[in-house]
Amino acid sequence: MESNLSNFSASSAGKQKRISLSAYKFMARKLFARKAEINLKNVAAKSWDIAPGETTVSPPAFFLPGQLERVSAWEARFFPFEHPARTMHGRLRMDHGATRGHLIKDVWLIDGALYKGNASLWLSLNPTKLPRIVVDTEIERGAAYCTQNGNTWFGTWLMEDCVTYALACNEGVPVTTAPSARFPIFSQAPAYENWLGMKPVRLSSAFFRELVLFDDLSNNRSRHLRYRAMGEKLLSHVSYASHPGVFILRGGDGDLRLLRNEIAIAEHLHKTRGFRILDPLRTDVPTIVATCAGARVVMGVEGSQLVHGVNVLQPGGSLLVLQPPNRFVSYYKFLTDRDNQHFGFVVGTPEGDGFKIDIEEVERTLDLFPL
C-alpha cells in the first residue's frame, strides 16, 4: 500500500479571499436553462489509468434452499439494482474497470460541491440552502478522495473513501469536505484516521489551481491490495489470535432494520460456538478492532456496522449477513468475492415493524462454510 503521508505539503493551502458565484450560477442554470448537468470529470485536462481492470468469475454464496423466495424487496440504490438471485447464485462474469485519475484545473469547492464553468460534481449532499460566496483557501494541487456516499454512510466512508485516500496522497494534498450541521463527522472517524495514519485537509470552500479526482469503485486488484493493507495497518495495533467469530450488533442505529431476536441469536452463538458479541456504538475503536481481529466468521444484520469486522477479516474467512426480507442488499458479497472470503446469508420473516431470523437456519448456514 502507498504511504499515507502525502508527497504534497498542506502548506500549499494558502489563505486568500476570493468571491465566487459558481454555486448560484449552477442553481440558475438548473432552474431556468434546464440543461443536462456536465460531470466535472468530463472537462479534465488529463485522464489516465492508475491501475488496470480485470475480469473474474463470481463464486456462489452460501445459503439454504428457500431463502431467496422470501425476498420481497431490495435496496434499489445499490448495484446490481435487481433481485439478488443472480448475484447470489454466482458464476457470473464480472468486469472490473480500471482505477483512473482525472486532473481538472481551476476548480471551486463550495459547500460540498465542485464547480468549473458549466461542470459540477457533488462530494456531499447539499448541507445548506444558501451557498457561500466567499472562498478563503487556495490550494496549488489537491486530490479529493471523498464521495457523496462516503459522506453519507459510515460504512462506505470506511470501506471506500479511506481506501482511495492512499491514491490521493500520491497526487496532491488529500482533501475532503468539512463536516456540517447536517453531515457531522462520524463519531468513530477520528480514531480510525489516527490508526490508519490519515491526515486529510477538511474544507468547506477552496479554490484549486489543480485538483485530481478518481474513479475508484471497481473491485480490481489495486483496490483489493489497498483494502487489505488498510486492514493490516489496523491489526498492527492489537495482539490477537484466531477465534470462532464475532456477532456485531446493529440495534436501532441508522436506517431501520430491526431484528427482533438479535440479542437472542448473539447470545445463542456465544454459548454454542464461542462467538464474541460486539456493540460498536458503545465501544471505542481499539476495543472494536481487538474484538474483531482473528474472527473466522463475522456476522450480523446487513448494515454499516459490519464493516468493523470485514476490515480485518482474513482471506478464507466468512461473512454471514442477516437480511431483512424487504431490504436485501448485496453490497458485501462483492467485497468478499474480491478479497477471497466466503459470503453467506439468511433471510428473515416479517414481524411487526421488523423481522425475525430462525436460529436453526443460522446454525445450518454456518455449517455450510468451509472450515
Side-chain angles (χ1 to χ4, degrees):
M1 184 177 183
E2 295 89 341
S3 169
N4 276 4
L5 297 177
S6 176
N7 297 322
F8 298 80
S9 172
S11 63
S12 63
K15 293 292 182 181
Q16 180 178 343
K17 286 190 176 181
R18 291 170 174 262
I19 302 295
S20 174
L21 298 176
S22 296
Y24 289 93
K25 290 178 180 177
F26 170 84
M27 295 165 63
R29 285 194 302 270
K30 190 173 182 179
L31 182 63
F32 300 113
R34 299 184 182 278
K35 293 183 178 179
E37 296 181 22
I38 302 173
N39 190 300
L40 188 64
K41 294 176 183 177
N42 292 341
V43 299
K46 175 186 175 184
S47 296
W48 67 98
D49 285 356
I50 296 172
E54 60 187 275
T55 299
T56 61
V57 176
S58 64
F62 293 86
F63 59 96
L64 299 172
Q67 296 293 309
L68 289 169
E69 288 73 15
R70 295 179 188 164
V71 178
S72 60
W74 50 93
E75 180 50 80
R77 293 174 294 179
F78 302 145
F79 185 82
F81 317 114
E82 63 179 18
H83 190 283
R86 290 179 66 250
T87 300
M88 295 303 125
H89 284 299
R91 300 185 177 88
L92 300 176
R93 174 190 170 98
M94 304 296 291
D95 293 319
H96 309 287
T99 303
R100 290 178 57 77
H102 306 273
L103 174 66
I104 304 98
K105 297 185 177 183
D106 300 330
V107 182
W108 298 94
L109 168 66
I110 299 175
D111 295 327
L114 297 168
Y115 303 98
K116 176 182 171 65
N118 293 336
S120 60
L121 181 70
W122 292 85
L123 299 179
S124 177
L125 294 173
N126 195 356
T128 176
K129 293 182 179 179
L130 294 175
R132 71 192 69 213
I133 61 173
V134 176
V135 176
D136 58 8
T137 300
E138 180 175 316
I139 294 182
E140 190 66 28
R141 184 181 172 103
Y145 66 92
C146 64
T147 61
Q148 187 176 126
N149 284 346
N151 279 325
T152 304
W153 294 298
F154 170 75
T156 308
W157 172 79
L158 192 51
M159 288 184 288
E160 297 185 3
D161 290 11
C162 289
V163 179
T164 305
Y165 177 87
L167 300 179
C169 287
N170 290 335
E171 296 294 344
V173 176
V175 297
T176 184
T177 54
S180 64
R182 185 180 176 189
F183 297 105
I185 191 168
F186 301 116
S187 61
Q188 293 165 332
Y192 268 114
E193 287 180 343
N194 181 45
W195 273 26
L196 292 171
M198 297 173 61
K199 297 181 179 179
V201 175
R202 289 187 162 84
L203 299 168
S204 296
S205 65
F207 176 72
F208 297 94
R209 292 290 184 185
E210 295 184 334
L211 178 67
V212 178
L213 301 174
F214 302 96
D215 293 336
D216 192 30
L217 294 179
S218 296
N219 285 316
N220 54 34
R221 181 164 177 79
S222 168
R223 203 177 190 210
H224 159 73
L225 292 174
R226 282 179 280 125
Y227 189 71
R228 297 323 311 163
M230 191 177 83
E232 291 303 315
K233 183 165 287 190
L234 293 174
L235 289 172
S236 70
H237 293 276
V238 299
S239 298
Y240 65 96
S242 177
H243 63 92
V246 57
F247 191 106
I248 304 178
L249 299 174
R250 178 170 180 81
D253 186 51
D255 295 339
L256 184 62
R257 274 156 273 180
L258 180 59
L259 176 56
R260 289 288 182 176
N261 58 335
E262 181 181 43
I263 298 298
I265 295 172
E267 291 179 345
H268 171 82
L269 294 174
H270 175 67
K271 293 176 182 178
T272 62
R273 294 181 180 254
F275 273 36
R276 299 174 181 177
I277 301 174
L278 172 66
D279 185 348
L281 295 178
R282 300 181 179 182
T283 312
D284 60 22
V285 167
T287 305
I288 288 172
V289 175
T291 302
C292 295
R296 294 192 290 275
V297 178
V298 172
M299 181 177 169
V301 177
E302 196 289 322
S304 290
Q305 85 286 354
L306 291 178
V307 68
H308 296 294
V310 175
N311 271 343
V312 293
L313 184 64
Q314 295 298 295
S318 301
L319 174 66
L320 181 56
V321 178
L322 307 180
Q323 300 272 8
N326 61 347
R327 194 186 183 277
F328 195 105
V329 177
S330 303
Y331 179 88
Y332 282 106
K333 184 174 188 300
F334 302 111
L335 270 63
T336 55
D337 288 355
R338 178 195 69 193
D339 294 338
N340 303 309
Q341 297 152 345
H342 309 295
F343 180 88
F345 66 90
V346 177
V347 180
T349 53
E351 185 170 298
D353 60 352
F355 66 106
K356 188 175 183 179
I357 291 285
D358 188 316
I359 292 179
E360 182 184 354
E361 291 184 353
V362 170
E363 289 278 14
R364 290 166 56 201
T365 306
L366 285 169
D367 290 338
L368 296 176
F369 286 130
L371 297 177

